[in-house]
């Protein structure tokens, strides 16, 4: 079975970097208020996506072990 090639966007490191950059833009006082709001929404979305990605990876790693125990 060939391994599925993972997109660069779906790596945890990239999502963490994206969240940090968006959070930085949200708290920066040099940006306009609408930019700060959109950056805050982007930071929250990146954090949520990172959480789902890590949860899905953990679940996928545990499923073969659970199948052996049955």
């Amino acid at each position: 079975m060939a391994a599925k090639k993972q997109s660069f966007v779906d790596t945890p490191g990239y999502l963490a970097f994206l969240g940090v950059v968006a959070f930085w833009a949200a708290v920066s006082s040099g940006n306009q208020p609408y930019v700060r709001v959109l950056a805050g929404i982007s930071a929250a979305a990146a954090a949520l996506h990172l959480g789902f990605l890590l949860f899905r990876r953990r679940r996928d790693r545990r499923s073969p072990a659970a199948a052996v125990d049955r």
Side-chain angles (χ1 to χ4, degrees):
M1 193 188 303
K4 180 182 168 188
K5 185 174 181 182
Q6 187 176 16
S7 171
F8 178 71
V9 177
D10 284 337
T11 59
Y14 178 75
L15 287 172
F17 173 73
L18 186 65
V20 167
V21 169
F23 181 74
W24 188 292
V27 299
S28 175
S29 61
N31 292 330
Q32 297 293 330
Y34 71 92
V35 172
R36 296 174 72 183
V37 169
L38 291 175
I41 292 170
S42 296
L48 187 64
H49 186 63
L50 178 63
F52 282 137
L53 179 69
L54 294 176
F55 174 77
R56 195 174 329 131
R57 279 187 170 193
R58 183 174 180 184
R59 184 188 63 202
D60 291 344
R61 286 185 184 154
R62 289 170 54 185
S63 47
V68 171
D69 290 339
R70 290 182 190 174

